[in-house]
Amino acid sequence: MTNSRIAGFYKLSLDERLDSLAKASEMDVEELAPLLTSGLLAAQEAEKMVENVVATHNLPLGIGLNFKINGVDRLVPMVIEEPSVVAGASFMAKLARKGGGFFATTSAPEMIGQMQVLDVADIHAAKMAIYEERDSLLAEVDGIDPILKKLGGGARDIELRVIESSPIGEFLVVHLTYDVRDAMGANAVNTACEKLAPRIEALTGGRVHLKILSNLSDRRMARVRCVIPVEVLAFETAPSLGLSPVGGEKQVLPPQGEGFRKGAEGGSFSGEQVRDGIIEAYAFAAVDPYRAATHNKGIMNGVDAVVIATGNDWRAIEAGAHAYAARDGKYTSLSTWGKDVDGNLVGTLEMPMAVGIVGGATKVHPTAQAALKLMGVKTASELAEIIVAVGLAQNMAALRALATEGIQRGHMSLHARQVAIAAGASGEMVEKVAAQMVTEGVVRVDRAEKILGGR
Ligand code: MEV
């Protein structure tokens, strides 16, 4: 049984982290090594993935701690270049545990394939002809991939849409819904559409132009909910901007009286203030696309980090998320925040989640394999549930910071390290230069260079 709570993880050396991760996940250190050793994707393997390969490119991989999802502890690998994301998600997961953790569900893993049918003389007759052949069309698709069928997947439905007005006038669109089980499914769907096209042409008398999956995979949804007891939201910021990791191990203090102060000198926030601040922030994203884009970007900070760690197609997830956010004709928030009858904070997130655990980079990339093992994921649905939980945690981390002390306070301590490195600091000097810049409140490369030069 994995234990996702590893106290003081951030204080350990890289080797010690590997050991404690192995202990917490009951895995061998060797199995986990690809998570902490950079560059394990050999150029020879990379060459089989894309064209013109000359190298591989590494990004930081951190572990999202404290996650409990549907009663199960999960250690979550997150690949991301942005400071604060891993710590923010881990801290919010810690708060969510106080309300039982995250509760997540998924729909069946059904993808949509689209066929654009042009030059149809009689659209109504064409529709009828396809409907009459529905069962045999589905059977034909099932014949293409008998293994998927055996695993419980397969073609599920044919749906027809008439596009009445477009730059080229009217045309017909055929949707094939296809249960792809634990695959991401792009290859299965695209193959099925290409194979089905000649029969669609014969039935409609038209010409099947595009045959490709839709990334608006709204038949393959993941949903998550968390309840945060209002009292655990209270906190106090330290008067100085120390270099303790953002959020990760920050102590949650009881409310310090009614009022709260805010600003560089620090402040205290009651649970109710934090809760209401988060709900007000959500209201902004719910109605304003300019804010919703940033709000959803915060969700995708968490989502993409896990999608990338597991070798999945993050562009597909991004495309699906934003198309879904605009499904009613106006771009809006993917998450919701409100309170329950007891005054506790309740968050939800719903989004399409087309991820797989078989095939593609998930199979080829050693780090992706180790990431899936560490999470103990057995199905693509379980992975999807973890991903939305991290997205919701990340959203809450951002809203909590924005609604209270502002985003820069937490961001700056980690950002300062990057600035120090950019100015040429190494070893112990990274912390020293970063700490001094943060104390001075000036986090800039020119200042870091001066500190390094003893000025
Ligand atoms: C930064 O990467 C993400 C945030 O802008 C998200 C948000 O504003 O909700 C902090």
Side-chain angles (χ1 to χ4, degrees):
M1 287 284 276
T2 292
N3 169 19
S4 67
R5 309 199 61 193
I6 311 178
F9 194 65
Y10 74 97
K11 291 187 208 145
L12 305 177
S13 69
L14 284 181
D15 285 343
E16 288 167 343
R17 282 186 199 151
L18 187 56
D19 283 339
S20 78
L21 209 54
K23 216 162 111 202
S25 60
E26 295 180 346
M27 285 173 71
D28 292 339
V29 170
E30 292 74 46
E31 279 184 297
L32 288 172
L35 285 179
L36 290 193
T37 324
S38 57
L40 259 190
L41 178 69
Q44 287 80 353
E45 281 166 307
E47 206 179 16
K48 289 179 209 135
M49 292 167 76
V50 302
E51 308 75 29
N52 298 352
V53 165
V54 292
T56 58
H57 174 96
N58 297 312
L59 286 170
L61 186 152
I63 304 295
L65 300 174
N66 305 320
F67 278 90
K68 186 194 270 281
I69 301 159
N70 296 338
V72 179
D73 270 30
R74 306 276 189 179
L75 287 157
V76 188
M78 300 173 69
V79 170
I80 188 151
E81 86 298 344
E82 185 174 327
S84 305
V85 170
V86 180
S90 300
F91 183 60
M92 296 310 141
K94 193 166 158 185
L95 297 191
R97 285 182 88 89
K98 308 260 163 72
F102 296 90
F103 303 93
T105 56
T106 47
S107 65
E110 287 176 7
M111 298 295 285
I112 297 169
Q114 294 194 295
M115 283 163 274
Q116 180 192 23
V117 195
L118 304 177
D119 308 333
V120 178
D122 183 341
I123 292 250
H124 186 67
K127 276 172 67 178
M128 290 303 133
I130 294 174
Y131 280 134
E132 280 163 31
E133 286 301 312
R134 174 185 172 277
D135 289 351
S136 78
L137 289 167
L138 296 181
E140 182 163 342
V141 173
D142 284 341
I144 301 169
D145 193 339
I147 295 175
L148 186 58
K149 180 82 185 152
K150 221 169 124 191
L151 291 170
R156 294 289 184 255
D157 208 356
I158 301 273
E159 286 168 6
L160 303 176
R161 296 168 53 217
V162 178
I163 305 295
E164 281 165 6
S165 163
S166 84
I168 54 161
E170 188 183 59
F171 59 87
L172 181 67
V173 179
V174 180
H175 277 195
L176 165 70
T177 37
Y178 196 2
D179 185 323
V180 295
R181 295 284 100 189
D182 290 324
M184 185 274 182
N187 281 328
V189 171
N190 294 341
T191 304
C193 288
E194 288 187 7
K195 288 252 162 86
L196 226 45
R199 279 199 64 201
I200 297 294
E201 289 186 340
L203 288 167
T204 59
R207 170 170 65 94
V208 177
H209 190 45
L210 301 195
K211 319 153 195 71
I212 185 79
L213 94 166
S214 168
N215 285 125
L216 176 50
S217 41
D218 60 1
R219 306 291 289 258
R220 194 177 190 178
M221 297 290 294
R223 302 180 170 89
V224 65
R225 174 179 66 84
C226 68
V227 180
I228 319 285
V230 65
E231 64 278 5
V232 308
L233 288 167
F235 75 105
E236 184 168 284
T237 57
S240 75
L241 301 174
L243 274 183
S244 64
V246 196
E249 296 298 322
K250 230 185 228 171
Q251 185 131 31
V252 180
L253 298 173
Q256 308 289 307
E258 285 305 308
F260 74 101
R261 292 169 293 116
K262 199 175 160 184
E265 78 280 11
S268 53
F269 302 90
S270 73
E272 286 75 13
Q273 281 165 341
V274 177
R275 177 199 65 200
D276 294 344
I278 289 174
I279 296 170
E280 286 160 1
Y282 154 67
F284 189 4
V287 297
D288 177 31
Y290 285 91
R291 174 57 205 152
T294 326
H295 176 102
N296 290 342
K297 191 272 182 183
I299 294 171
M300 301 312 285
N301 276 345
V303 166
D304 285 346
V306 189
V307 171
I308 295 171
T310 55
N312 273 289
D313 180 347
W314 72 93
R315 287 87 55 214
I317 301 300
E318 285 279 344
H322 300 295
Y324 188 73
R327 64 196 177 282
D328 293 330
K330 188 175 174 195
Y331 188 87
T332 186
S333 167
L334 287 166
S335 65
T336 68
W337 290 96
K339 58 182 176 185
D340 67 13
V341 286
D342 299 320
N344 300 316
L345 179 67
V346 181
T348 68
L349 170 64
E350 300 190 69
M351 58 187 290
M353 193 48 67
V355 287
I357 60 165
V358 293
T362 41
K363 267 278 174 277
V364 179
H365 202 301
T367 311
Q369 281 293 297
L372 289 171
K373 263 194 205 157
L374 176 68
M375 283 188 284
V377 157
K378 299 275 184 302
T379 64
S381 293
E382 270 180 73
L383 175 59
E385 288 167 3
I386 294 173
I387 293 171
V388 282
V390 178
L392 187 62
Q394 192 51 48
N395 181 219
M396 183 178 152
L399 297 189
R400 172 184 175 272
L402 289 167
T404 55
E405 57 188 356
I407 209 77
Q408 287 308 87
R409 189 183 187 90
H411 231 65
M412 272 308 160
S413 52
L414 280 164
H415 174 60
R417 291 179 196 173
Q418 291 183 348
V419 172
I421 293 167
S426 62
E428 278 181 6
M429 283 313 287
V430 175
E431 294 299 321
K432 280 198 181 136
V433 173
Q436 186 169 334
M437 285 193 295
V438 168
T439 308
E440 291 173 2
V442 182
V443 183
R444 286 201 318 257
V445 174
D446 59 329
R447 181 65 197 128
E449 283 168 352
K450 284 199 176 121
I451 298 170
L452 273 173
R455 286 171 285 152

